Amino acid sequence: MARDHYEVLGVGRDAGAEEIQAAYRRLARANHPDVNRDPAAEDRFKEINDAYHVLSDPSSRRRYDRFGDDHRRVPEDWEERVSRAGSRGGSGATRDGGFSGFGDAGVAGAGFTDVGGAGVDIEDLLGGLFGRGRGGATVGGADQEAELPLTVEEAYHGGRREMQLSGTSGPRTYTVTIPPGVVDGQRIRLAGEGGRGLGGGAAGDLYLVVRILPDERYRLVGRDIVVGLPVSPWEAALGATVPVTTPGGEVTVTVPPGSSTGRTLRLRGEGMPGRRGVRGDLVAELGVHVPARLTERERELFSELAQVSTFDPRREPTRPGTHGARRRKAATS
């Protein structure tokens, strides 16, 4: 039996959506195979992803809370079906609630929730949910969603990768083709990999929702890639051509003379790939860094500069974009 999803994320059953998301992001980053080289990290990462996929969606979370590991075999509209069935009446209802005795051929000896004293024939209610239909009806399977966590580099380059999702019959492995330049929230469709159909109906589709993992080096704004660019005082004062590491490789940028922390330099077309050849930009945010320890000669030169320079940064007019905690943090990361 799979571990309890709440236990996997380390949250209580009364956890709110924000707490669940925060726990997922923390654990997903710590256990991502590209970050954690522990051989067991990949399995933990898959377990974390599956738990978040279930608990982050209110509908699937309600089914999981009620039916446990069998929740995937329960239709999304089960509450509506109970309500409709209760209004019609019937016989054989139980008050203990919940499904029991699931089997691939149907539901055997199942109890159902109390619906105002009216009995419910579960076979009629679910219409042969797990393989048997009433009256030869053909019903297509439901579309399903799962999250696909990616690093910035994985999203940039795209390519094929395998991912594993837990199912009622055990884990399933999918081969996913990731288009280069996918962004957070973009969906990748796997045709026919969703919920099973009834009475010979076609299976639904599985949609993988891209989630870009937090990265200490890169920040994505749409298709623009924002990077922090540390420069020395003399590079900032005199100007320089310096290298910048990007997901696509190393590029060079020209730092204009007289640059200060917070200044942004934009390289057109060096950001995330896009459809029809349209790419984002690379935005480098400058951060002026000084040596932590000075040699004797460096100290002499800085002292000489202090004597001859009339520059006073506290009296200089503030240029737009040179202040703000968020910008400074990105530039000096």
Side-chain angles (χ1 to χ4, degrees), residues 225-232 235-236 238-246 249-257 259 263-271 281-287:
I225 301 175
V226 182
V227 299
L229 180 58
V231 294
S232 65
E235 288 173 330
L238 304 175
T241 299
V242 298
V244 180
T245 300
T246 77
E250 190 175 276
V251 298
T252 58
V253 298
T254 299
V255 179
S259 295
R263 184 169 190 168
T264 59
L265 307 176
R266 183 178 295 268
L267 272 67
R268 301 289 180 183
E270 294 291 344
D281 300 334
L282 177 72
V283 180
E285 294 185 336
L286 298 188

Side-chain angles (χ1 to χ4, degrees), residues 25 52 65 140 149 226 248 277 279:
R25 290 185 178 276
Y52 178 69
D65 288 344
V226 182
R279 302 176 65 99

Side-chain angles (χ1 to χ4, degrees), residues 153-174:
E153 288 91 343
E154 288 172 332
Y156 181 94
H157 293 286
R160 294 168 67 88
R161 66 169 283 188
E162 289 189 345
M163 69 174 297
Q164 191 177 78
L165 296 175
S166 299
T168 56
S169 57
R172 277 190 76 178
T173 300
Y174 301 87

Side-chain angles (χ1 to χ4, degrees), residues 16-184:
E18 291 185 0
E19 183 180 353
I20 288 173
Q21 184 180 65
Y24 164 72
R25 290 185 178 276
R26 182 182 69 256
L27 294 171
R29 176 168 179 77
N31 291 278
H32 194 281
D34 288 346
V35 176
N36 192 328
R37 300 304 179 186
D38 181 352
E42 183 173 359
D43 289 337
R44 290 198 300 268
F45 179 78
K46 293 172 182 176
E47 188 178 42
I48 292 162
N49 183 52
D50 184 54
Y52 178 69
H53 167 61
V54 172
L55 299 184
S56 63
D57 178 75
S59 176
S60 65
R61 181 178 179 180
R62 285 196 300 271
R63 294 198 302 276
Y64 179 76
D65 288 344
R66 189 59 183 271
F67 306 112
D69 290 340
D70 287 319
H71 71 283
R72 297 184 191 277
R73 309 177 75 161
V74 179
E76 294 185 4
D77 62 345
W78 72 272
E79 293 169 306
E80 182 181 348
R81 295 189 189 194
V82 172
S83 178
R84 291 201 305 265
S87 66
R88 292 197 301 266
S91 61
T94 66
R95 292 179 178 273
D96 56 350
F99 290 130
S100 64
F102 280 104
D104 288 339
V107 182
F112 210 78
T113 187
D114 177 21
V115 285
V120 178
D121 182 339
I122 197 165
E123 289 290 337
D124 179 61
L125 174 65
L126 299 182
L129 175 64
F130 306 122
R132 292 183 293 175
R134 289 272 176 123
T138 298
V139 181
D143 291 340
Q144 297 176 340
E145 281 192 356
E147 289 204 341
L148 176 59
L150 298 174
T151 64
V152 174
E153 288 91 343
E154 288 172 332
Y156 181 94
H157 293 286
R160 294 168 67 88
R161 66 169 283 188
E162 289 189 345
M163 69 174 297
Q164 191 177 78
L165 296 175
S166 299
T168 56
S169 57
R172 277 190 76 178
T173 300
Y174 301 87
T175 300
V176 185
T177 300
I178 303 169
V182 292
V183 294
D184 195 78

